[in-house]
Amino acid sequence: MAQSTQAPLVESHPAEVETELDKSLKALEKFLGFVGFCQYTVLRTALSWLVFILLAVGLPVISIQFSYCSNCEKYEIKSFELEILVSQTVVAAISLLCISHILRKYGVRKMLFVDQCHGHLSQFRHLYLQKIRVFYCLLTSWAVICLLLKVAREITRAVYLHHDSWWWSALMLLACIVSNTYVILVFFAGCALFHLVGNLQVIHFENYGKLLEMDLDVSVYIEEHMRLTYYLSKISHRFRVFLLLEFLFVTVSQFIALLETTGNRGIINFINGGDFAVLSIVQLVGIVLCLNAAAKISHRAQGLGSITSRWHALVSCNSNDGSFSAVSDSGGNSDVPHPVRPLSVHYSESDLESGDYVQLPSNLQLTSSMSSYQKRQAFVTYVQSNTGGFSIFGWMVDRMLINTIFFIELSLVFFVLGKTITITTR
């Protein structure tokens, strides 16, 4: 029987081709260091947390104390301001603490699983760069949108609740904007970074179907699947605390916001309660980014079972097809098989769905031996028994759980928005 040569899965490229990706990773590391995530030394750790305390805690407390008006509950409620400060500070602190710990332990490249295994760095360098650009686009767009909402609310409140000096009001407004910009950036950066890690792994899961088109030994497919599941387990282990704490505190924050707004007997409008609306939108966006990444990883991993089953069925059926000539076990001559016409399969290309069609290569020479069939059958059984997916302490994050979490958070956000974004003439 002709044996398949276990050649590298991709061709190697010159080292200088990878320079662009290396520069992109270094730029990403500099950006994360600017936000405060790269706490590689004691000095950088102390500086990062000092900046966090000053911008996320110090400036808002000073702003609340000096802008407080005892007879202006129509425009400002101090209990609301303190609750909002605690909520946004806690979720940002979780992001800073967890992501900085992962970066300090593994570094940017290992955290993103950008390695040289099987030459993947060369094959997928353009896709890596594309996903990194998506990271910046997501972070910038959502941070700007949420910041504009915050600025609009602060300007509206400053107009109605200004002090004797407009300069002082402008200074308090600037301090509040700077503080919220930093807090939103830290929170979104952590969520978008997890989203980036998930997108980079989705690239490899989507490429697995193309790998099956190559005439390789079954052991190569098993080895590649083991590598993917190993990386997936590592991602689950490293980010499980981050996601669990973010889900928990965001949900608690939404419940507290709902109780605060419904329990208050005074007038609640966009001026005195609008920060609850902005905070809810910010937290919902961050949770959606995390859920989207977890959903993609789990869906792609669980879809490998159907992909390998279809591949096994196509290979087994075509091995006895008249259009193929059986390969002699004794090494005799064989005719070149006719190419197989691909099946016309239409599938969705949405974020959570991927094509599971595996096209048979036209140059594949198949054997009808029982050992080849048994190898493929064992491979399919292995993949179906090890579907995997993103998990949090053994709890699989699949579509059902993600939909439940999303609609709970969305319902709470809508309740808060309904209580805060109101117009009253009283």
Side-chain angles (χ1 to χ4, degrees), residues 48 134 137 182 265 277 301 306 398:
S48 175
V134 171
C137 291
Y182 173 76
R265 298 182 179 180
S306 62
D398 53 8

Side-chain angles (χ1 to χ4, degrees), residues 317-326 337-338:
C317 292
N318 284 282
S319 62
N320 296 323
D321 199 307
S323 61
F324 286 89
S325 299
H338 301 285

Side-chain angles (χ1 to χ4, degrees), residues 202 205-207 296 299-304 306-307 310 345-357 399:
V202 166
F205 280 105
E206 291 179 343
N207 183 74
K296 284 182 179 180
H299 181 69
R300 298 302 195 277
Q302 295 171 0
L304 292 183
S306 62
I307 293 176
R310 180 170 298 184
V345 180
H346 300 281
Y347 53 87
S348 174
E349 287 292 347
S350 62
D351 288 340
L352 297 183
E353 297 182 4
S354 63
D356 55 356
Y357 172 65
R399 280 186 171 182

Side-chain angles (χ1 to χ4, degrees), residues 145-159 173 177 270-271 275 278:
I145 291 173
C146 295
L147 186 60
L148 288 177
L149 294 175
K150 180 66 177 180
V151 171
R153 187 263 176 183
E154 292 298 330
I155 293 177
T156 304
R157 188 180 68 166
V159 172
L173 175 63
I177 292 175
F270 182 72
I271 301 176
D275 266 353
V278 177

Side-chain angles (χ1 to χ4, degrees), residues 184-350:
I184 291 175
L185 190 61
V186 170
F187 175 62
F188 276 169
C191 297
L193 195 60
F194 173 73
H195 189 269
L196 174 61
V197 174
N199 279 337
L200 294 180
Q201 288 306 305
V202 166
I203 293 175
H204 299 289
F205 280 105
E206 291 179 343
N207 183 74
Y208 197 78
K210 298 179 181 179
L211 179 65
L212 294 176
E213 300 175 11
M214 304 172 63
D215 186 12
L216 301 175
D217 190 77
V218 175
S219 61
V220 179
Y221 302 143
I222 297 178
E223 181 182 356
E224 179 68 7
H225 186 271
M226 291 175 62
R227 189 185 67 85
L228 292 177
T229 54
Y230 173 75
Y231 282 177
L232 187 56
S233 65
K234 285 295 183 181
I235 293 174
S236 302
H237 178 76
R238 295 175 185 178
F239 287 92
R240 59 185 180 181
V241 176
F242 167 70
L243 292 182
L244 182 62
L245 291 179
E246 291 289 10
F247 292 159
L248 178 62
F249 279 95
V250 167
T251 304
V252 171
S253 174
Q254 296 297 321
F255 271 112
I256 293 178
L258 182 60
L259 293 176
E260 287 283 347
T261 53
T262 55
N264 189 280
R265 298 182 179 180
I267 299 175
I268 299 178
N269 48 41
F270 182 72
I271 301 176
N272 58 18
D275 266 353
F276 274 130
V278 177
L279 177 65
S280 299
I281 294 174
V282 170
Q283 293 179 346
L284 180 63
V285 170
I287 291 299
V288 167
L289 289 177
C290 295
L291 291 177
N292 180 261
K296 284 182 179 180
I297 300 175
S298 297
H299 181 69
R300 298 302 195 277
Q302 295 171 0
L304 292 183
S306 62
I307 293 176
T308 54
S309 298
R310 180 170 298 184
W311 166 80
H312 177 42
L314 290 174
V315 173
S316 299
C317 292
N318 284 282
S319 62
N320 296 323
D321 199 307
S323 61
F324 286 89
S325 299
V327 180
S328 175
D329 291 340
S330 60
N333 295 331
S334 61
D335 297 331
V336 178
H338 301 285
V340 179
R341 183 179 180 181
L343 300 175
S344 298
V345 180
H346 300 281
Y347 53 87
S348 174
E349 287 292 347
S350 62

Side-chain angles (χ1 to χ4, degrees), residues 358-400:
V358 180
Q359 176 183 349
L360 285 176
S362 59
N363 61 344
L364 181 63
Q365 296 184 356
L366 300 172
T367 175
S368 58
S369 64
M370 185 59 65
S371 62
S372 178
Y373 177 85
Q374 291 175 348
K375 286 182 180 180
R376 295 195 304 270
Q377 183 63 38
F379 167 59
V380 173
T381 304
Y382 162 75
V383 174
Q384 291 178 343
S385 302
N386 296 271
T387 55
F390 185 85
S391 61
I392 300 178
F393 294 102
W395 196 359
M396 188 64 63
V397 182
D398 53 8
R399 280 186 171 182
M400 184 178 297

